[in-house]
Amino acid sequence: MDNVKTDFLVIGSGIAGLTFALKASRHGKVALVTKKNLAESNTNYAQGGIAAVLGSDDSFEQHEQDTMRVGYDLCHEDAVKILVENGPRMVNELIDFGVRFTKGKEGLDLGREGGHSKRRIAHAEDLTGSEIERALITTVEKSPNIQVFENHMAVDLVTKFKLRPASLKADADDDICYGAYVMDKETGHITPFTAKTTFLATGGLGKVYIYTSNPDIACGDGTAMAYRVGAAVANMEFMQFHPTCLYHPKAKSSLISEAVRGEGVELKLPNGEPFMEKYHEMGSLAPRDIVARAIDHEIKKLGVDSVYLDTTVKEADWFKKRFPHIYSTCMEFGIDPTREMIPVVPAAHYMCGGVITDIDAKTTIPGLFAAGECAHTGVHGANRLASNSLLEAIVFADRAVKNAVAHFNGRREETPEIPAWDIGSAVDADEQVVIHHMWDEIRRLMWNYVGIVRTNKRLARAKNRITLIRQEIEEYYWNFILTPDLLELRNLALCAEIIIDCAMRRKETRGLHYNLDYPNRDDKHFKKDTILFL
Ligand code: FAD
Ligand code: SIN
């Protein structure tokens, strides 16, 4: 394939990428690049739903207050306001795109999750994400202006400063994103995709940790690519651990939605004793950081493998109907939730930080926009309110389109041709197993040293090891022909290092960043974002 030229390059096909592609296609040609098939994304596994003010007993003020309270005073008020006030409109747009949300007696059936003071989660049974993907993909496939590239992986972004370092001036506004190099995963061939605007929607990075609710695509590719071209990133110390993933040796990444607790199911110890009241007045429905820490504490104190969700208290037919996917997943692993408690443990789930954007989804590099889990809009602060992320992705992807079109129309210079990818003297890697070993090492060290509970010593150990691992990966990268696994490893390692660096800078405890050496919050010095750039 020759150089692909397009108006809008979209990287990622979760809710953010698909939304942007659909809306941008009304203004020009879109190339939509995605690592696997179109549906494979974190979005596709979302269970609980999408938060919005939809109930008659709810208000924008209450949704805003819940978001800010759970975010430990680091949320950007302007971004939260935009998020909340656009919520009902965006849920209605999803319905117009064909999403079939579960209906209640009056209007939509609204679920509840941790940290929310009201029922405000629109859901499609317990498979909200795959229903959203289904509807958006159906619409994308009908759009003549969108060309889809499945099994294509963005390798690196291309900017003016990267292409012509001599043009580098002190003023970052002079830089501009020209598109990206993209690998066809089947052939390994890398092609330049030249675009007038580039939209990053690559999602999260749960795979940085050994235990995660995320699917394999979540390697932080977009965050790493943006950082490498000089974009600023923020607040990567705030990795959110979901309190309740199914504990079973064969259950990879199986989430038990917080909506289960929202319906009154309690967390219990192996002896059947409830324990969350000791930790927070909202009990099992406390904000996620508190529940995950409490479970971690109880598991370590008692030396047990997991705690339990006592689903047996609910009526069997009701449970099967309200959570059909969770019911069948548990049954697959020999656990009948209508008769026995579900064993659960916390796992890495959501990255609250990411590539810095303003409220118009602009990154610090002109021509590069971002939304969804890879972006840091300021909405989540130090801890994300449950079900705010699908909403954030769609609200800011929508805003990105308007601003990408303005950028596109206002461009002063033609986008130059991106040169062909140069493989230099790279040869085929002799031992692929090295990649898997390094991958495993990173994920374990992040879990053990940069997990739910941190200390200065653990962070220092993690920093030493990741520095060495990254040196080895860079040697590998320059000497051997690139493979998708090597690209993911390189991105994952960079994201791990950024998480560690952010965590070392925040010398306090706040929200998801819990450091035993600084057990208190320090508003005087740290009531601000942690910002990093090359
Ligand atoms: P994603 O949906 O992750 O999409 C990223 C896309 O980028 C994928 O298509 C991927 O293949 C592609 N990609 C990545 N790297 C590259 C590359 N280098 N080249 C090309 N393509 C690339 N949030 C809620 O609000 N409510 C919920 O109920 C909820 N439940 C969840 C349950 C689970 C199990 C998980 C894992 C997350 C859940 N979340 C939920 C979080 C939410 O799903 C995500 O934050 C959100 O879907 C992110 O959307 P996105 O479009 O930013 O990224
Ligand atoms: C869940 O269903 O528990 C996930 C919700 C979220 O991550 O927002």
Side-chain angles (χ1 to χ4, degrees), residues 13-18 38-47 127-134 136 201 203-204 215 217 372-373 389-390 393:
S13 59
I15 187 171
L18 294 173
L38 267 177
E40 191 55 9
S41 56
N42 274 7
T43 302
N44 203 41
Y45 297 89
Q47 295 184 348
L127 285 173
T128 311
S130 70
E131 172 57 13
I132 291 175
E133 286 286 302
R134 182 202 60 73
L136 295 181
I217 50 100
E373 195 169 336
S389 48
L390 290 173

PDB file of all heavy atoms in Angstrom, residues 13-18 38-47 127-134 136 201 203-204 215 217 372-373 389-390 393:
ATOM      1  N   SER A  13     -11.008   2.407  17.520  1.00  0.00           N
ATOM      2  CA  SER A  13     -12.422   2.255  17.166  1.00  0.00           C
ATOM      3  C   SER A  13     -13.286   1.871  18.367  1.00  0.00           C
ATOM      4  O   SER A  13     -14.200   1.076  18.265  1.00  0.00           O
ATOM      5  CB  SER A  13     -12.569   1.216  16.052  1.00  0.00           C
ATOM      6  OG  SER A  13     -12.050  -0.031  16.474  1.00  0.00           O
ATOM      7  N   GLY A  14     -12.970   2.471  19.538  1.00  0.00           N
ATOM      8  CA  GLY A  14     -13.890   2.394  20.677  1.00  0.00           C
ATOM      9  C   GLY A  14     -14.919   3.507  20.525  1.00  0.00           C
ATOM     10  O   GLY A  14     -15.074   4.090  19.435  1.00  0.00           O
ATOM     11  N   ILE A  15     -15.602   3.829  21.622  1.00  0.00           N
ATOM     12  CA  ILE A  15     -16.673   4.842  21.532  1.00  0.00           C
ATOM     13  C   ILE A  15     -16.135   6.195  21.056  1.00  0.00           C
ATOM     14  O   ILE A  15     -16.787   6.876  20.255  1.00  0.00           O
ATOM     15  CB  ILE A  15     -17.424   4.965  22.887  1.00  0.00           C
ATOM     16  CG1 ILE A  15     -18.637   5.882  22.745  1.00  0.00           C
ATOM     17  CG2 ILE A  15     -16.518   5.425  24.020  1.00  0.00           C
ATOM     18  CD1 ILE A  15     -19.553   5.880  23.973  1.00  0.00           C
ATOM     19  N   ALA A  16     -14.915   6.573  21.472  1.00  0.00           N
ATOM     20  CA  ALA A  16     -14.379   7.885  21.094  1.00  0.00           C
ATOM     21  C   ALA A  16     -14.060   7.905  19.592  1.00  0.00           C
ATOM     22  O   ALA A  16     -14.482   8.825  18.872  1.00  0.00           O
ATOM     23  CB  ALA A  16     -13.131   8.216  21.911  1.00  0.00           C
ATOM     24  N   GLY A  17     -13.346   6.899  19.114  1.00  0.00           N
ATOM     25  CA  GLY A  17     -12.935   6.876  17.708  1.00  0.00           C
ATOM     26  C   GLY A  17     -14.118   6.771  16.765  1.00  0.00           C
ATOM     27  O   GLY A  17     -14.188   7.483  15.750  1.00  0.00           O
ATOM     28  N   LEU A  18     -15.069   5.905  17.089  1.00  0.00           N
ATOM     29  CA  LEU A  18     -16.222   5.723  16.197  1.00  0.00           C
ATOM     30  C   LEU A  18     -17.079   6.987  16.148  1.00  0.00           C
ATOM     31  O   LEU A  18     -17.555   7.403  15.087  1.00  0.00           O
ATOM     32  CB  LEU A  18     -17.072   4.525  16.656  1.00  0.00           C
ATOM     33  CG  LEU A  18     -16.414   3.138  16.547  1.00  0.00           C
ATOM     34  CD1 LEU A  18     -17.303   2.077  17.193  1.00  0.00           C
ATOM     35  CD2 LEU A  18     -16.106   2.763  15.099  1.00  0.00           C
ATOM     36  N   LEU A  38     -12.938  -4.108  14.366  1.00  0.00           N
ATOM     37  CA  LEU A  38     -13.524  -2.819  14.770  1.00  0.00           C
ATOM     38  C   LEU A  38     -14.059  -2.819  16.195  1.00  0.00           C
ATOM     39  O   LEU A  38     -13.887  -1.860  16.932  1.00  0.00           O
ATOM     40  CB  LEU A  38     -14.678  -2.470  13.813  1.00  0.00           C
ATOM     41  CG  LEU A  38     -14.356  -1.611  12.600  1.00  0.00           C
ATOM     42  CD1 LEU A  38     -15.594  -1.428  11.740  1.00  0.00           C
ATOM     43  CD2 LEU A  38     -13.817  -0.248  13.018  1.00  0.00           C
ATOM     44  N   ALA A  39     -14.689  -3.922  16.603  1.00  0.00           N
ATOM     45  CA  ALA A  39     -15.361  -3.914  17.912  1.00  0.00           C
ATOM     46  C   ALA A  39     -14.392  -4.070  19.090  1.00  0.00           C
ATOM     47  O   ALA A  39     -14.704  -3.661  20.210  1.00  0.00           O
ATOM     48  CB  ALA A  39     -16.397  -5.031  17.967  1.00  0.00           C
ATOM     49  N   GLU A  40     -13.211  -4.632  18.856  1.00  0.00           N
ATOM     50  CA  GLU A  40     -12.334  -4.964  19.979  1.00  0.00           C
ATOM     51  C   GLU A  40     -11.765  -3.693  20.627  1.00  0.00           C
ATOM     52  O   GLU A  40     -10.979  -2.958  20.022  1.00  0.00           O
ATOM     53  CB  GLU A  40     -11.213  -5.896  19.502  1.00  0.00           C
ATOM     54  CG  GLU A  40     -10.386  -6.528  20.606  1.00  0.00           C
ATOM     55  CD  GLU A  40     -11.193  -7.309  21.649  1.00  0.00           C
ATOM     56  OE1 GLU A  40     -12.400  -7.535  21.472  1.00  0.00           O
ATOM     57  OE2 GLU A  40     -10.594  -7.669  22.680  1.00  0.00           O
ATOM     58  N   SER A  41     -12.171  -3.457  21.849  1.00  0.00           N
ATOM     59  CA  SER A  41     -11.844  -2.201  22.537  1.00  0.00           C
ATOM     60  C   SER A  41     -12.279  -2.350  23.987  1.00  0.00           C
ATOM     61  O   SER A  41     -13.037  -3.270  24.317  1.00  0.00           O
ATOM     62  CB  SER A  41     -12.655  -1.062  21.908  1.00  0.00           C
ATOM     63  OG  SER A  41     -14.051  -1.402  21.965  1.00  0.00           O
ATOM     64  N   ASN A  42     -11.831  -1.442  24.854  1.00  0.00           N
ATOM     65  CA  ASN A  42     -12.363  -1.447  26.228  1.00  0.00           C
ATOM     66  C   ASN A  42     -13.868  -1.186  26.195  1.00  0.00           C
ATOM     67  O   ASN A  42     -14.638  -1.765  26.964  1.00  0.00           O
ATOM     68  CB  ASN A  42     -11.679  -0.367  27.069  1.00  0.00           C
ATOM     69  CG  ASN A  42     -10.377  -0.872  27.681  1.00  0.00           C
ATOM     70  OD1 ASN A  42      -9.924  -1.972  27.376  1.00  0.00           O
ATOM     71  ND2 ASN A  42      -9.789  -0.075  28.542  1.00  0.00           N
ATOM     72  N   THR A  43     -14.264  -0.303  25.288  1.00  0.00           N
ATOM     73  CA  THR A  43     -15.696   0.021  25.187  1.00  0.00           C
ATOM     74  C   THR A  43     -16.534  -1.250  25.088  1.00  0.00           C
ATOM     75  O   THR A  43     -17.578  -1.379  25.746  1.00  0.00           O
ATOM     76  CB  THR A  43     -15.958   0.886  23.930  1.00  0.00           C
ATOM     77  OG1 THR A  43     -15.162   2.072  24.006  1.00  0.00           O
ATOM     78  CG2 THR A  43     -17.425   1.254  23.802  1.00  0.00           C
ATOM     79  N   ASN A  44     -16.061  -2.184  24.291  1.00  0.00           N
ATOM     80  CA  ASN A  44     -16.840  -3.382  24.003  1.00  0.00           C
ATOM     81  C   ASN A  44     -17.151  -4.212  25.253  1.00  0.00           C
ATOM     82  O   ASN A  44     -18.056  -5.028  25.247  1.00  0.00           O
ATOM     83  CB  ASN A  44     -16.062  -4.233  22.989  1.00  0.00           C
ATOM     84  CG  ASN A  44     -16.961  -5.164  22.228  1.00  0.00           C
ATOM     85  OD1 ASN A  44     -18.061  -4.787  21.840  1.00  0.00           O
ATOM     86  ND2 ASN A  44     -16.531  -6.397  22.040  1.00  0.00           N
ATOM     87  N   TYR A  45     -16.367  -3.998  26.322  1.00  0.00           N
ATOM     88  CA  TYR A  45     -16.558  -4.807  27.540  1.00  0.00           C
ATOM     89  C   TYR A  45     -17.271  -4.039  28.650  1.00  0.00           C
ATOM     90  O   TYR A  45     -17.442  -4.555  29.751  1.00  0.00           O
ATOM     91  CB  TYR A  45     -15.200  -5.326  28.036  1.00  0.00           C
ATOM     92  CG  TYR A  45     -14.585  -6.248  26.999  1.00  0.00           C
ATOM     93  CD1 TYR A  45     -13.767  -5.743  25.998  1.00  0.00           C
ATOM     94  CD2 TYR A  45     -14.901  -7.597  26.978  1.00  0.00           C
ATOM     95  CE1 TYR A  45     -13.250  -6.567  25.010  1.00  0.00           C
ATOM     96  CE2 TYR A  45     -14.384  -8.431  25.989  1.00  0.00           C
ATOM     97  CZ  TYR A  45     -13.564  -7.910  25.006  1.00  0.00           C
ATOM     98  OH  TYR A  45     -13.071  -8.726  24.031  1.00  0.00           O
ATOM     99  N   ALA A  46     -17.647  -2.778  28.370  1.00  0.00           N
ATOM    100  CA  ALA A  46     -18.291  -1.969  29.413  1.00  0.00           C
ATOM    101  C   ALA A  46     -19.600  -2.620  29.820  1.00  0.00           C
ATOM    102  O   ALA A  46     -20.401  -3.020  28.973  1.00  0.00           O
ATOM    103  CB  ALA A  46     -18.516  -0.547  28.920  1.00  0.00           C
ATOM    104  N   GLN A  47     -19.796  -2.714  31.112  1.00  0.00           N
ATOM    105  CA  GLN A  47     -20.978  -3.414  31.618  1.00  0.00           C
ATOM    106  C   GLN A  47     -21.999  -2.438  32.197  1.00  0.00           C
ATOM    107  O   GLN A  47     -23.123  -2.325  31.715  1.00  0.00           O
ATOM    108  CB  GLN A  47     -20.560  -4.404  32.713  1.00  0.00           C
ATOM    109  CG  GLN A  47     -19.678  -5.530  32.218  1.00  0.00           C
ATOM    110  CD  GLN A  47     -19.367  -6.549  33.311  1.00  0.00           C
ATOM    111  OE1 GLN A  47     -19.612  -6.329  34.491  1.00  0.00           O
ATOM    112  NE2 GLN A  47     -18.810  -7.677  32.913  1.00  0.00           N
ATOM    113  N   LEU A 127     -24.411  -5.469  29.199  1.00  0.00           N
ATOM    114  CA  LEU A 127     -23.501  -5.489  28.048  1.00  0.00           C
ATOM    115  C   LEU A 127     -23.584  -4.154  27.307  1.00  0.00           C
ATOM    116  O   LEU A 127     -23.662  -4.105  26.075  1.00  0.00           O
ATOM    117  CB  LEU A 127     -23.883  -6.628  27.098  1.00  0.00           C
ATOM    118  CG  LEU A 127     -23.504  -8.046  27.549  1.00  0.00           C
ATOM    119  CD1 LEU A 127     -24.082  -9.077  26.611  1.00  0.00           C
ATOM    120  CD2 LEU A 127     -21.993  -8.200  27.617  1.00  0.00           C
ATOM    121  N   THR A 128     -23.536  -3.063  28.075  1.00  0.00           N
ATOM    122  CA  THR A 128     -23.746  -1.736  27.482  1.00  0.00           C
ATOM    123  C   THR A 128     -22.730  -1.431  26.383  1.00  0.00           C
ATOM    124  O   THR A 128     -23.074  -0.914  25.318  1.00  0.00           O
ATOM    125  CB  THR A 128     -23.641  -0.658  28.584  1.00  0.00           C
ATOM    126  OG1 THR A 128     -24.468  -1.065  29.674  1.00  0.00           O
ATOM    127  CG2 THR A 128     -24.072   0.700  28.076  1.00  0.00           C
ATOM    128  N   GLY A 129     -21.469  -1.751  26.640  1.00  0.00           N
ATOM    129  CA  GLY A 129     -20.406  -1.389  25.699  1.00  0.00           C
ATOM    130  C   GLY A 129     -20.556  -2.095  24.364  1.00  0.00           C
ATOM    131  O   GLY A 129     -20.395  -1.477  23.301  1.00  0.00           O
ATOM    132  N   SER A 130     -20.869  -3.375  24.399  1.00  0.00           N
ATOM    133  CA  SER A 130     -20.950  -4.086  23.112  1.00  0.00           C
ATOM    134  C   SER A 130     -22.178  -3.631  22.330  1.00  0.00           C
ATOM    135  O   SER A 130     -22.160  -3.611  21.093  1.00  0.00           O
ATOM    136  CB  SER A 130     -20.924  -5.609  23.296  1.00  0.00           C
ATOM    137  OG  SER A 130     -22.088  -6.049  23.882  1.00  0.00           O
ATOM    138  N   GLU A 131     -23.218  -3.206  23.021  1.00  0.00           N
ATOM    139  CA  GLU A 131     -24.387  -2.665  22.327  1.00  0.00           C
ATOM    140  C   GLU A 131     -24.044  -1.315  21.671  1.00  0.00           C
ATOM    141  O   GLU A 131     -24.439  -1.038  20.534  1.00  0.00           O
ATOM    142  CB  GLU A 131     -25.559  -2.529  23.324  1.00  0.00           C
ATOM    143  CG  GLU A 131     -26.798  -1.811  22.819  1.00  0.00           C
ATOM    144  CD  GLU A 131     -27.428  -2.423  21.554  1.00  0.00           C
ATOM    145  OE1 GLU A 131     -27.071  -3.548  21.164  1.00  0.00           O
ATOM    146  OE2 GLU A 131     -28.271  -1.729  20.950  1.00  0.00           O
ATOM    147  N   ILE A 132     -23.249  -0.502  22.376  1.00  0.00           N
ATOM    148  CA  ILE A 132     -22.828   0.789  21.787  1.00  0.00           C
ATOM    149  C   ILE A 132     -21.953   0.522  20.566  1.00  0.00           C
ATOM    150  O   ILE A 132     -22.141   1.135  19.498  1.00  0.00           O
ATOM    151  CB  ILE A 132     -22.075   1.645  22.844  1.00  0.00           C
ATOM    152  CG1 ILE A 132     -23.043   2.124  23.928  1.00  0.00           C
ATOM    153  CG2 ILE A 132     -21.370   2.828  22.183  1.00  0.00           C
ATOM    154  CD1 ILE A 132     -22.398   2.867  25.095  1.00  0.00           C
ATOM    155  N   GLU A 133     -20.990  -0.401  20.691  1.00  0.00           N
ATOM    156  CA  GLU A 133     -20.109  -0.714  19.553  1.00  0.00           C
ATOM    157  C   GLU A 133     -20.943  -1.218  18.369  1.00  0.00           C
ATOM    158  O   GLU A 133     -20.738  -0.803  17.232  1.00  0.00           O
ATOM    159  CB  GLU A 133     -19.059  -1.764  19.944  1.00  0.00           C
ATOM    160  CG  GLU A 133     -17.939  -1.248  20.828  1.00  0.00           C
ATOM    161  CD  GLU A 133     -16.917  -0.378  20.095  1.00  0.00           C
ATOM    162  OE1 GLU A 133     -16.290  -0.812  19.110  1.00  0.00           O
ATOM    163  OE2 GLU A 133     -16.752   0.777  20.527  1.00  0.00           O
ATOM    164  N   ARG A 134     -21.884  -2.110  18.648  1.00  0.00           N
ATOM    165  CA  ARG A 134     -22.709  -2.670  17.569  1.00  0.00           C
ATOM    166  C   ARG A 134     -23.397  -1.551  16.783  1.00  0.00           C
ATOM    167  O   ARG A 134     -23.332  -1.497  15.550  1.00  0.00           O
ATOM    168  CB  ARG A 134     -23.759  -3.637  18.150  1.00  0.00           C
ATOM    169  CG  ARG A 134     -24.633  -4.321  17.102  1.00  0.00           C
ATOM    170  CD  ARG A 134     -25.951  -4.818  17.670  1.00  0.00           C
ATOM    171  NE  ARG A 134     -26.800  -3.785  18.232  1.00  0.00           N
ATOM    172  CZ  ARG A 134     -27.495  -2.880  17.541  1.00  0.00           C
ATOM    173  NH1 ARG A 134     -27.473  -2.889  16.223  1.00  0.00           N
ATOM    174  NH2 ARG A 134     -28.226  -1.950  18.142  1.00  0.00           N
ATOM    175  N   LEU A 136     -22.780   1.770  16.692  1.00  0.00           N
ATOM    176  CA  LEU A 136     -21.903   2.732  16.017  1.00  0.00           C
ATOM    177  C   LEU A 136     -21.223   2.089  14.801  1.00  0.00           C
ATOM    178  O   LEU A 136     -21.083   2.719  13.739  1.00  0.00           O
ATOM    179  CB  LEU A 136     -20.856   3.286  16.994  1.00  0.00           C
ATOM    180  CG  LEU A 136     -21.403   4.130  18.167  1.00  0.00           C
ATOM    181  CD1 LEU A 136     -20.256   4.632  19.043  1.00  0.00           C
ATOM    182  CD2 LEU A 136     -22.219   5.334  17.676  1.00  0.00           C
ATOM    183  N   ALA A 201      -7.589   8.034  19.703  1.00  0.00           N
ATOM    184  CA  ALA A 201      -8.670   7.449  20.515  1.00  0.00           C
ATOM    185  C   ALA A 201      -8.284   6.014  20.862  1.00  0.00           C
ATOM    186  O   ALA A 201      -9.057   5.082  20.668  1.00  0.00           O
ATOM    187  CB  ALA A 201      -9.980   7.492  19.732  1.00  0.00           C
ATOM    188  N   GLY A 203      -7.547   4.598  23.732  1.00  0.00           N
ATOM    189  CA  GLY A 203      -8.018   3.974  24.972  1.00  0.00           C
ATOM    190  C   GLY A 203      -6.959   3.862  26.049  1.00  0.00           C
ATOM    191  O   GLY A 203      -5.986   4.617  26.078  1.00  0.00           O
ATOM    192  N   GLY A 204      -7.161   2.876  26.926  1.00  0.00           N
ATOM    193  CA  GLY A 204      -6.398   2.821  28.179  1.00  0.00           C
ATOM    194  C   GLY A 204      -5.160   1.951  28.144  1.00  0.00           C
ATOM    195  O   GLY A 204      -4.630   1.632  27.073  1.00  0.00           O
ATOM    196  N   PRO A 215      -9.035  -5.722  28.054  1.00  0.00           N
ATOM    197  CA  PRO A 215      -8.629  -6.667  27.008  1.00  0.00           C
ATOM    198  C   PRO A 215      -7.211  -6.361  26.517  1.00  0.00           C
ATOM    199  O   PRO A 215      -6.636  -5.324  26.867  1.00  0.00           O
ATOM    200  CB  PRO A 215      -9.656  -6.408  25.906  1.00  0.00           C
ATOM    201  CG  PRO A 215     -10.083  -4.998  26.096  1.00  0.00           C
ATOM    202  CD  PRO A 215     -10.013  -4.722  27.570  1.00  0.00           C
ATOM    203  N   ILE A 217      -5.884  -5.192  23.910  1.00  0.00           N
ATOM    204  CA  ILE A 217      -5.535  -3.988  23.118  1.00  0.00           C
ATOM    205  C   ILE A 217      -5.038  -2.832  23.998  1.00  0.00           C
ATOM    206  O   ILE A 217      -4.453  -1.876  23.491  1.00  0.00           O
ATOM    207  CB  ILE A 217      -6.733  -3.461  22.285  1.00  0.00           C
ATOM    208  CG1 ILE A 217      -7.984  -3.303  23.147  1.00  0.00           C
ATOM    209  CG2 ILE A 217      -7.027  -4.358  21.107  1.00  0.00           C
ATOM    210  CD1 ILE A 217      -8.260  -1.942  23.594  1.00  0.00           C
ATOM    211  N   GLY A 372     -11.420  10.329  25.041  1.00  0.00           N
ATOM    212  CA  GLY A 372     -11.589   8.975  25.583  1.00  0.00           C
ATOM    213  C   GLY A 372     -10.521   8.686  26.619  1.00  0.00           C
ATOM    214  O   GLY A 372      -9.892   9.596  27.169  1.00  0.00           O
ATOM    215  N   GLU A 373     -10.288   7.409  26.846  1.00  0.00           N
ATOM    216  CA  GLU A 373      -9.434   7.035  27.978  1.00  0.00           C
ATOM    217  C   GLU A 373      -7.979   7.463  27.800  1.00  0.00           C
ATOM    218  O   GLU A 373      -7.258   7.644  28.783  1.00  0.00           O
ATOM    219  CB  GLU A 373      -9.529   5.518  28.216  1.00  0.00           C
ATOM    220  CG  GLU A 373      -8.958   5.133  29.570  1.00  0.00           C
ATOM    221  CD  GLU A 373      -9.266   3.709  29.983  1.00  0.00           C
ATOM    222  OE1 GLU A 373     -10.255   3.121  29.506  1.00  0.00           O
ATOM    223  OE2 GLU A 373      -8.495   3.176  30.805  1.00  0.00           O
ATOM    224  N   SER A 389     -16.820   7.451  32.190  1.00  0.00           N
ATOM    225  CA  SER A 389     -15.813   7.448  31.123  1.00  0.00           C
ATOM    226  C   SER A 389     -16.420   7.282  29.735  1.00  0.00           C
ATOM    227  O   SER A 389     -15.948   7.904  28.779  1.00  0.00           O
ATOM    228  CB  SER A 389     -14.750   6.382  31.358  1.00  0.00           C
ATOM    229  OG  SER A 389     -15.336   5.174  31.679  1.00  0.00           O
ATOM    230  N   LEU A 390     -17.453   6.464  29.599  1.00  0.00           N
ATOM    231  CA  LEU A 390     -18.110   6.392  28.282  1.00  0.00           C
ATOM    232  C   LEU A 390     -18.653   7.775  27.934  1.00  0.00           C
ATOM    233  O   LEU A 390     -18.548   8.237  26.792  1.00  0.00           O
ATOM    234  CB  LEU A 390     -19.242   5.359  28.302  1.00  0.00           C
ATOM    235  CG  LEU A 390     -18.827   3.882  28.404  1.00  0.00           C
ATOM    236  CD1 LEU A 390     -20.049   2.988  28.580  1.00  0.00           C
ATOM    237  CD2 LEU A 390     -18.029   3.438  27.180  1.00  0.00           C
ATOM    238  N   ALA A 393     -15.833  10.136  26.922  1.00  0.00           N
ATOM    239  CA  ALA A 393     -15.312   9.823  25.586  1.00  0.00           C
ATOM    240  C   ALA A 393     -16.212  10.424  24.504  1.00  0.00           C
ATOM    241  O   ALA A 393     -15.736  11.034  23.536  1.00  0.00           O
ATOM    242  CB  ALA A 393     -15.207   8.312  25.415  1.00  0.00           C
TER     243      ALA A 393
END
